[in-house]
Every structure is written in structure tokens, then in C-alpha cells.
Amino acid sequence: MAEIPTAAISRLVTYLRILEQLEAQDVSRTSSSDLAERAGVSAFQVRKDLAYFGRFGTRGMGYTVAILKRELVRVLGLNQTWNVVIVGMGRLGQAIANYPGASDYQFQYAGLFDVSPAIVGQQIRNLTVRHMDDLKTFVAQNKVDMGFLAVPPDRAQDAAQALVSAGVRGILNFAPVVIQPPTEGGAQEISDEWRAVIIENVDFLAGMKRLAFYILNPHLKDAPLTEDTE
Ligand code: NAD
């Protein structure tokens, strides 16, 4: 498969959301120009993004909403259950755990973890917050795939290490720090356990900073991709 820009994956998530909205409105067919208009990109961009993963429509005929939606769900891996732990059950961890939207796509909060005696043992939704000492056993026994990291910045690297050592395959890092694979004794070798882990960062404060920059420099915002700009 050709190398796929990260932005294209973000747009696929947007196209999927639009297809869900169309389905909810009983719209059965769409086109690249319709999707483009709703997503705020060009029709060429839509066709290019979808083309990374195969041929989904018939040229000139557009797409069947249900089929394109099913294909995007498959491409994004949302047709399987993902078991998630949240590490750090303070303000943010609790807000995430209490937000119901994650279960729309088989993301299941299997376990909640913290180190604070004031929080460990608390009941949040239907789960009891556990101590980090139990993380490794829990991840193995419950086939946990992902960890959401919501600990203070100065605890994030250690907590990420605990998740990696426990064997999760992905970390959604909310802490405003860059999680780095450890390089012991200056060695540049990254261990297999770290090499196997995907880390995604979520930071609304960074979004605010980008927003401030683009409000001051609107002409520097990316122009929509068209066939001419290819
Ligand atoms: P908080 O202090 O309310 O909660 C942090 C929790 O982590 C506490 O319950 C603490 O006991 C626990 N903790 C500390 N060390 C731990 C460890 N080693 N293992 C497990 N748990 C541990 O903090 P908060 O306001 O919920 O913020 C959490 C993190 O999220 C911070 O890094 C903050 O900067 C970040 N944040 C990110 C965004 C975003 O958009 N990405 C938004 C808000 C906050």
C-alpha cells in the first residue's frame, strides 16, 4: 500500500461521520462533490483519499452511502472490539470515562487506573478504579489493545512505559509531553516493545495555539487540494 498521509486518515474519519449523518437522514446515495462540500475539501481530495484504499464507487455514478460507510468502517478497523484502559483518573480521565460516545464504535473501557489512594477503589460508571500495580496482569487477562494517558505531564513517560511493558498496542496521549522510547546508556536502539506501539497525541491547547496563529496569518492556512495543485 502506498504511503498514506496522516491528514488523509483524519479526513476518512470525517467522511465516515458525514456518511453516518446521511444514513440517519435516509440519504442512500452520495458523490465525491457532495462529500467534499460537506467536509470542506475538494472533490479531487475526496477521490484521492478514497483511492488509497481501493475503488469504492462507479465513475460518474457516485457512492452508495451504506456501502461506502461499511468500507470506511472496515478500513479504519472499527468493525472489531477495541479494549481500552484509561490511566490517570483525575478530571480528564473521569470526563473521558463518563463520555458515552466511545462505545459507538466498539471502544470498550475495560479498566481504569490511578495511583492515588483517594481515587483507587472509586466506582466510575460501572468500573472500579484499580491501582497501577495491577496494570500488567489486567492488560494480559483482558486483552487490552489501547491505553489513554491522562496523568500529569511529569508522570506521563513512566505511565507510558507501564502501558508499553504491559503490552498495549497503542497509546492516546493527552499529556502535553512527547512520549519517547527510552534510549538506555545513550544507545539509539529502540526496543521491540516500544517499536510495536503507536502513539497518538491529543492536545486541545495545541489546537488553540494553532488557531491563534492562523487567525493572525489566515493566508498561510492550506488551500484545498485540487487537480491543478497536484
Ligand atoms: P488531574 O491532576 O486531575 O489528574 C491526574 C491523575 O493522574 C490523578 O488522579 C493522579 O492521581 C493520576 N496519576 C498521577 N501519576 C500517575 C501514574 N503514574 N499512573 C496513574 N495515574 C497517575 O489532571 P487532569 O486535569 O485530569 O489532566 C491530566 C493530564 O491531561 C495532564 O497532563 C493535563 O495537562 C492533560 N490535559 C490534556 C488535555 C488535552 O486536550 N489533551 C486537556 C486537559 C488536560
Side-chain angles (χ1 to χ4, degrees), residues 8 11 25 44 61 64 72 113 122 206 219:
R11 286 191 295 270
Q25 293 159 12
F44 177 66
M61 301 283 288
T64 305
L72 290 191
F113 287 84
Q122 269 189 33
H219 55 289

Side-chain angles (χ1 to χ4, degrees), residues 87-94 113-116 119 132 149-153 155-156 158-159 173-176 202-205:
V87 170
M89 290 307 297
R91 285 165 293 212
L92 185 62
Q94 295 194 29
F113 287 84
D114 208 288
V115 288
S116 160
I119 293 181
M132 285 294 279
L149 204 49
V151 299
R155 307 308 314 150
D158 284 352
N173 172 38
F174 291 88
V202 181
D203 190 346
F204 85 86
L205 292 173

Side-chain angles (χ1 to χ4, degrees), residues 4 75 83-84 188 212:
I4 299 165
V75 163
N83 288 326
V84 178
Q188 289 306 299

Side-chain angles (χ1 to χ4, degrees), residues 15-214:
Y15 304 151
L16 175 58
R17 196 179 62 222
I18 293 166
L19 291 163
E20 286 165 347
Q21 287 161 353
L22 289 174
E23 203 170 54
Q25 293 159 12
D26 287 329
V27 177
S28 60
R29 294 199 67 78
T30 184
S31 62
S32 44
S33 30
D34 179 38
L35 283 176
E37 197 178 321
R38 293 170 191 272
V41 297
S42 68
F44 177 66
Q45 182 81 73
V46 172
R47 288 194 293 272
K48 189 175 157 98
D49 291 338
L50 295 178
Y52 286 118
F53 299 97
R55 292 171 55 87
F56 297 123
T58 315
R59 203 170 173 82
M61 301 283 288
Y63 309 100
T64 305
V65 169
I67 294 177
L68 186 56
K69 182 190 144 191
R70 188 188 65 208
E71 289 303 308
L72 290 191
V73 165
R74 181 185 57 77
V75 163
L76 291 167
L78 300 175
N79 50 355
Q80 66 186 81
T81 301
W82 294 99
N83 288 326
V84 178
V85 291
I86 305 178
V87 170
M89 290 307 297
R91 285 165 293 212
L92 185 62
Q94 295 194 29
I96 296 170
N98 281 312
Y99 177 66
S103 55
D104 288 359
Y105 271 112
Q106 319 267 33
F107 291 98
Q108 285 181 4
Y109 295 132
L112 312 176
F113 287 84
D114 208 288
V115 288
S116 160
I119 293 181
V120 172
Q122 269 189 33
Q123 189 81 8
I124 294 176
R125 292 190 84 179
N126 56 342
L127 297 172
T128 305
V129 179
R130 296 162 191 268
H131 194 277
M132 285 294 279
D133 289 349
D134 300 336
L135 183 74
K136 192 165 188 152
T137 311
F138 185 90
V139 165
Q141 283 177 350
N142 294 277
K143 296 190 169 46
V144 172
D145 306 291
M146 303 178 183
F148 292 180
L149 204 49
V151 299
D154 61 340
R155 307 308 314 150
Q157 182 69 39
D158 284 352
Q161 179 64 60
L163 281 165
V164 172
S165 301
V168 302
R169 295 157 66 194
I171 295 176
L172 192 62
N173 172 38
F174 291 88
V177 288
V178 178
I179 303 292
Q180 301 275 20
T183 47
E184 270 164 44
Q188 289 306 299
E189 262 315 280
I190 296 173
S191 66
D192 288 345
E193 61 178 15
W194 273 90
R195 213 184 288 277
V197 173
I198 308 287
I199 300 179
E200 277 281 319
N201 298 297
V202 181
D203 190 346
F204 85 86
L205 292 173
M208 285 160 70
K209 290 169 194 159
R210 283 195 299 273
L211 188 58
F213 175 81
Y214 283 124

